[in-house]
Every structure is written in structure tokens, then in C-alpha cells.
Amino acid sequence: MKSYKSDVVVIGAGAAGMAAAIEVKKAKLEVLIIERDQELGGITLQCIHNGFGLKEFQEELTGPEYAQRFINQVYEMKIPFLLETMVIEITKDRKIYAVNNKEGLIEVNAKSIILAMGCREKTRGAINIPGFRPAGIYTAGQAQRFVNIEGYLPGNTYVILGSGDIGMIMARRLTWEGCKVKAVVEILPYVSGLIRNQVQCLEDYEIPLITNYTVTKIHGKDRVKGVTISKVDRNFDRIIGSDKFFECDTLLLSVGLIPENELTLQAGAELSKNGGPLIDNNLETTIEGIFACGNVLQVHDLVDLVSAEAKRAGENAVSYVKERYGKETKRKGKIECIPGENVNYVKPDIINKEDLSKDIIFTLRVNFPDRRVLIQLKDEENNIIYNRKKVYVIPSEMIELNINLEKNGINPEFKSLTIEVIPRPEVLIEED
Amino acid sequence: MIYDVTIIGGGVIGCCIARTLSKYNLKVALLEKEADIASGTTKANSGVVHAGYASSREYLKRDLCIRGNKLYTQAAEELNFPFQRIGSFVVATEDNQIKTLEEQRKNGIQDGVPGLELILDKEKIKYMEPNLTDEVVGVLYAPSAGLVSPYEMTFALAENAAMNGIKFFRNQKVRRIKHQDYIFKIKTKVSEFKSHNVINAAGLFAAKISKMVGLDYFDIMPRRGEYILFDRNALHLNKILFPTPTKISKGILVCPTLHGNTFVGPNAQNITDKKDTSTTEAGLKEILEGGRLLVPKLPLRASIRNFAGLRAVPDTYDFIIDNTDVYGFINVAGILSPGLSSCFSIAEKVIEFLELLGVELKVKEDYNPIRQKPERFKDFTKEELDLKIKEDPAWGRIICRCETIPEKEIINAIQSPVGATTVDGVKFRCRPGMGRCQGGFCRPRVIDILSRELKIPPIEVTKRGEDTNFLVGKTKDYFSKEIEEEGE
């Protein structure tokens, strides 16, 4: 069995993994990237549309261009990587077992591990659509791979369920290929991807977006022949008599992404409500020395945000290896961050009390859209320790806050704080 | 060439008969209408090997099930298909149901069902199955009930039969059967087979086949059952859980699978269309409600697939296993539950019939009852894995991430006797696409591998045979077509 060792091992060579590895290398530590696909780049390679890099490079790039900037750095910095290598096990003492077809079974001893495995798409089963199980049902990302990488068309006429970003982008992409996208059907009253995609991918091509509807039956025993869509009430129950039939040979699903955390779980780390690992303000999981970043931690709207988060994970892994690895460190205790009103989840899940003097980046998503809101952090006794106004919030846009809790006067004795997004009452009075 | 025996239908029954016949020096063919065996009732089935106490005592199926259950031990050893006697609970949640359970226990023991036990100690019950509802008042425990993967078992049967010389023909829908001078001429969609004897194991279409030789004495109706499958690790059950049965059905069960998943289902809907395996909103709701009576905390969020299967329900409600008036034509029809449990005893019965028909049953000298277990990545130790990958690098190329399936297992599934020719064929043989992503990542690669191994373009790769192609064309085709048209 071939054996490697490295200060830091990064699992996944997508936007997150490469950015994290580069950061580690900058600090002159050894780093090794393990990637299951046959090339570096991750899912951005199949995202050939533009819109990437506005934050990271102040330029508008396509997915492969964005990835290439990082791939070039990986090569320039001579960061070692293993391709077509699948991690099959991570142990608590940070030993990694992986296989590839050249070296067989590989054992890697790491002082620190950064998880950057990304996410996967929700499937039909996860949303339980009744009907037949014919050929012609794909997740939007799978169709994207067929069209953009393999050069094949999965169908001629489409209905897309879910208005996630990949779904909307595929609606446009398939229209360019001469296919007919009959409708994008969204169960919520509003689009679930970015507004810019709604405008640029649907409205510009006159593809109808049908909100408050969902697919309630799939027709066709062998190949999809059509779908029935129905209007839903507030509880997402079908409204009887609202059925509409669309003839199509393909149904694409863009109904959400799930962080891919099988390895995380198997290593023994805890997950939190959003499906990502439970982390502290250093992006460290519940297993010492194992960090997480990118879509494996939380699904991001923009790849630029993924890279930024991954850099932090890289830096934190470096300080772990330099300062804490192999040493008994005394911790001062933790403060738990609890999602309150209209907050779906918040990261980090816990804050180390020794870091209260540092700026902490909070990321959160709301449950439903709202206008003129107040984002508040409250302590155990309901004292407001931070608040910020926001004109509107929408679940598809992740909210990022940079807060120094000490400067905001948090009581270090407390064990939890709550984050909530509430309507601003004073605005109503002003308007009167 | 005239076959001694031709079996129509490549479900678990047809394949089990084929494997049993493969022991003898006979020329045997099996015809299947679909692109793969195990495509009908066998594919979407609970996979429970029943202990045998449940059917009414006047039915043939009761005896066959009790005997069939016992035959599983040896078969699983010889054929190396996954089978575990994990035991079942029939759950009573009301005191008046205990009577039914006690009656089943008494009759079951009399008829030779081993180990039946009525447990009324709630603490003991909950210890044996912690996920069971708090409403439980008693259970009938049947330790001999087991779990099997019906399609994996069918593949094992077919492989072993093929190894021993049985010829399998797929995509052979039978159109007509002529019986002349003691020879059956079976005309299919694409060719013709001649045979001295015919075994009709055509499942839902058995009555149709029977009518082709003029035997019109039963009918088969489809009864649909819907299921919801949950992700691995979402719920750990120790036992197969049945509700106390009613006159109509065994009820909706909550059941583990041999791969660590759990399913809930099936309901029972009498329908008319023998191809209607669609699931329905109302049906899915019904099975969840039914399942919750046994396990209140069903992990709905971890549901990965819903599907439906059809039972072949005969109008007699019992198995129809007959040496018919048409000499050499044996009906094995109406094999509904507990058909899977009874397949080995059904095959024994068919052998008896063939003997009565004067078919010479001489055991082959080179008969090999052993079918090796397919090599699985997951079964290897780390050291073995390392060696395997060095022997063949395809062991080290993981195609399916969710289930950790390497390229080699997929190639083996395609190259095995009666191997996979479709994406579903690969999926059911070695599980890529069975996991939580349901093929999201691996499907393009499986299509690639099938295209390479079968030497067909990717566009011709299908999900499960004719008219189920995944891809409709190449990108930019539209534009080249447009240019051509403009040129004209």
C-alpha cells in the first residue's frame, strides 16, 4: 500500500479545494489535493456560462476560465494532487484511505484535513413526484454535463421543475441548442435562484416561469411523454382542478442542492440542520483538525464566495498545524449560534470564546423573502448586541455579516446567541 | 433445433425453473419479452421470504411457501445471492388482534413453520425492534422469515443456469404458439423457437400465453403496489414489520433491505392496465400513513425513490400450477405473494410434471450448482483491494460515488452470463445509480462504459430497452440540420 504524508490534505479540487490548498501552500506548509474526477476544476468546468469572478477577479469569467485561474496557480506553486482518486475512509486521527487505478490503495497521513467535496442535486425521489419512471428525467446538472461536456442532447422538448440557478441556466442553454423549453415550474411564489438568472435566462428568451405550481404526475412508460403540473396551496398541497398538462420528452429537476457529507459523517463529525458539517468560527468541524469549506459546508450562490470561504479554511488549517497540532490546548468554552425568526440556518454553528475579539464572518439564509428588515443578534437575555438594516432578503441570496462580538459588547459568560431577521416596525410609521 | 423445454418468462419463477432444469441433460431455452430478465413483477417486489403461516390453509400456495422457505438456505449457499433470515413481526396494536395472531401461530406450527412465537411482553418487543410504535400490544415473531434481493437472486439463478447450458433469449415477445405433432412452434417478435415442452411463466401475461394454445380457464389481473424507499442509514430496522392482516391483504409493511435501506409499502390497488407501474399521489400518501402505524418516525426527508410493482393476481387467488390438457404445456401462473418465497418448491413441482410427461431427467455429469458471488469492492479488505487494483486498474476507478462502485464491477455486470445490456441492467446488477444521488453523477459514465463494452454509440444506450433511450442527439445537430435545409 502506497503511503503519503502531508501537513494538510484537501479533499476535492473544485473552486473550494484549490483555493484552500493555495492558501496553505502560501504559508509554506505541505499540502496535497485529492480529486475524484479526472481533472482539476470541479463542477465549474461544466458551467460554461459567464458570471463568475466578479468579486474574486473583478472580471466576468466563464466557469472553466474561473477554474483555470486556480488550476494555473496550483501548477505554478507546484501543489501536488492526485486525480481519479476516491477517498473511501477518513479516520478520527486524520488518516485518509483512497483508491485510484494507478496506485491502488493509498494511505495519507495528514496533520489537518480540509473537506471540500461540494454538493449534489436533489433528485425526483427526494421530492417524491408520483407517476411512471421513464427515461428522460434528469437533474439539471446532469443535463448540463451531457450538453456541455459530453456533447449530447438529453431531449428535445423540456419542462423544468424548480427555478434553481442551474435549471434556469439550462433553460437558456437548451434554447440555444434549438430545444424547446416549455416552462419552468416553481412550487414557491418566487424564483428560487438568483434574480439575474431569472431575467437573463428566462425572461430574455420568453420562457414562462410558472410559480405556485409543481409537477404532480409524470406521464410515459418508456420515455417521458409529458407532465401534469398543478397549483399548490400554502401547505404545498395540490389544489384540485388546477391541473395543466404539458407535452414534453424530458423533465429536468432543479429542486435544490444538498451538501455531500458522507465522508464527513463517516469520519465521525457532526452535521447541522442545513446538511453541512457543524463548524466553529474557524470552519473547524467537531473533529479537531478537520475543516470544511465551500458547498460541502453550505450551498453558496456564487463561486466567488466559495473561494473566499475556502481561503479562510486554508488559513485556519495553517494556524492549526502551526499552533495547535500535537499540543494540548485549553479552550475557553463556546457560544452556540441559534437560528431565530426567519433564519433557515446560520454558520458558524458555534463560536469559540477565545476568538471573541476577532472579526467573525456569519453567513445565513432566510426562510422566506421579506422587505425592510432588521437582522439582529440577541444574547441569552434578549439584549440586542448587533443589528443591521436590509432593504430586502430572499432565500436564494446568502447574507454575510462581519461582526466583532467583543466590540459589540457581548457578555462572555453567555452560552448562546440568536440571529433573527424581523420586519422593521419603524418603517411603517415613517411611511404613515 | 428443437428444444426439450422452452420457458416463457424471465422473472424469478422462469429463471428458477431454468436453473433447476439446468441440472439435467436437456436442451432448454428461456424467452423474455423485455430487454432484461427480472423486469416485471420480480423487479418491484418487497423481497420478503415469508415464513408461510399467512395464507389460507386451503391454498396450494401455503404448502409451497413453507417448503420454499426451507429451500432458500441451500440455494443461497450455492448461488451466493444475498439472503438473510432476519425474522418478521406481525404487529398487533389492538387487543382483539391477538386472537388472529394466536390462530396463525397455532396453524403455522402444525404445518411445520419453525420457531413461531407470540410475544406479548412489550419491553421485549421494543428491545427486539426499538423503532416499533408504542401502541404495540403483541407480535407474532417468525424467525424463519428472510430478506432477499429478488432481482439479484434472479440474476444469480440465470447466471448459474446459463453456465450449465440453458440458452437465454431476451427481447423475444411471444406472438403466437402453434402446437403440431407434439411440437410447439413459438413465434416471437424476431424469431421462431421449436420445443417439445413449454412452461408458461409469463407472469402478468400468463393467461394470454395460455390462450395461445387454446387454454382459456383463468385470468390474471394486475394489482399494483406502491413503495417509497429511504436512504441508507436513515432508519435501522431489525425485523420485517407487518400489520395484523385483514382478509384482503397482508397490509403495508415497513421493511429493511439487504443494502441497508428501508422501504415502506406496498398498498394494493386493483387496476386494469398491465403496464401501469405509475405511482400516485394518493397511493404514496396511503403507504406513508400505513407505515406510520408501525413505525411512527418514518424518515420522510431521506426518501430517495418511489416506485410501483404489479402483482399477477389470478382469479382463483391461488397459484395455478398445472400439467394442462395440451400435452407438454405447463402453466405456472398467478404466482402472487408468496411466489418469491415459493419459487424453489414451484420448480420442484414443475420437474415432477416433466417427469410425468416422460421427459428424461438425467443429471449432467458436469453440472455445477455453484455460482460464485460477484466480486464487490465493498467486500474487500484494504490489502485485497490494493492487490485487486494492481491486477486490474478498473477496480480503482470509482464510477458510482454514493455506493462506491468501481468500473470493474460494471464491466463484470455486462460481461457476466446473461449480462446487462442497459443502464437499468447495470443498476440492478451492481447498484450504480441506486444511491442517494440516483445516478446524477454516474449515469453519463455508465452510458459511456455500456457504449464501449457493447460497441454501440452512446445515443443507442437505453434505460431498459426499446424506446427508452437517454439521449436524443448530439449538440449542434439542430444547426447542421438547419444549414442542410437552407442549402436545399
Side-chain angles (χ1 to χ4, degrees), chain A residues 76-318:
Chain A
E76 279 159 22
M77 298 173 88
K78 298 196 171 61
I79 296 173
F81 53 83
L82 296 168
L83 295 178
E84 283 192 282
T85 304
M86 180 84 183
V87 174
I88 54 171
E89 190 184 339
I90 302 175
T91 68
K92 272 204 170 69
D93 51 351
R94 295 179 298 270
K95 202 175 267 214
I96 296 166
Y97 292 98
V99 292
N100 69 31
N101 56 8
K102 290 179 201 75
E103 295 159 296
L105 187 74
I106 301 159
E107 182 194 76
V108 191
N109 289 290
K111 290 179 183 165
S112 172
I113 297 171
I114 299 176
L115 305 173
M117 292 90 74
C119 57
R120 65 163 185 272
E121 296 174 282
K122 271 193 195 160
T123 65
R124 172 194 181 182
I127 50 172
N128 257 326
I129 311 172
F132 284 104
R133 293 161 300 287
I137 305 168
Y138 303 90
T139 59
Q142 200 182 356
Q144 191 176 44
R145 184 184 165 98
F146 274 128
V147 177
N148 291 347
I149 305 268
E150 320 267 341
Y152 287 102
L153 289 177
N156 293 313
T157 49
Y158 295 77
V159 166
I160 300 177
L161 174 61
S163 55
D165 289 312
I166 320 171
M168 293 195 284
I169 286 161
M170 281 314 289
R172 175 177 66 180
R173 180 74 185 87
L174 291 162
T175 306
W176 289 342
E177 282 295 336
C179 302
K180 179 76 191 158
V181 179
K182 295 206 167 164
V184 172
V185 181
E186 171 58 56
I187 195 167
L188 295 170
Y190 47 86
V191 65
S192 62
L194 297 174
I195 303 296
R196 78 168 192 214
N197 284 331
Q198 182 185 352
V199 175
Q200 294 172 5
C201 300
L202 303 185
E203 290 171 8
D204 287 359
Y205 295 86
E206 292 173 349
I207 296 166
L209 171 70
I210 307 176
T211 53
N212 287 316
Y213 271 82
T214 192
V215 172
T216 47
K217 182 149 190 172
I218 296 169
H219 303 263
K221 176 145 174 89
D222 296 328
R223 175 85 199 190
V224 174
K225 286 197 173 128
V227 295
T228 300
I229 70 166
S230 316
K231 194 165 186 168
V232 295
D233 63 18
R234 276 189 189 176
N235 303 319
F236 300 136
D237 284 328
R238 181 169 71 101
I239 296 173
I240 291 164
S242 65
D243 296 0
K244 289 181 191 171
F245 176 76
F246 279 92
E247 203 181 298
C248 60
D249 64 14
T250 311
L251 172 67
L252 292 194
L253 303 174
S254 181
V255 288
L257 301 166
I258 313 169
E260 199 161 33
N261 276 296
E262 281 62 48
L263 277 177
T264 319
L265 272 177
Q266 189 246 357
E270 279 175 53
L271 298 192
S272 69
K273 191 196 149 203
N274 78 320
L278 198 146
I279 49 144
D280 68 8
N281 53 298
N282 296 320
L283 302 166
E284 190 170 353
T285 66
T286 51
I287 297 192
E288 197 189 294
I290 300 185
F291 297 81
C293 59
N295 286 352
V296 79
L297 176 62
Q298 56 181 338
V299 176
H300 295 68
D301 325 334
L302 297 172
V303 71
D304 303 66
L305 301 177
V306 166
S307 303
E309 188 176 85
K311 283 180 193 168
R312 286 201 285 133
E315 287 163 8
N316 294 337
V318 168

Side-chain angles (χ1 to χ4, degrees), chain B residues 206-219:
Chain B
K208 200 172 155 189
I209 298 289
S210 181
K211 279 170 199 159
M212 288 181 190
V213 293
L215 292 165
D216 185 3
Y217 67 103
F218 63 91
D219 222 338

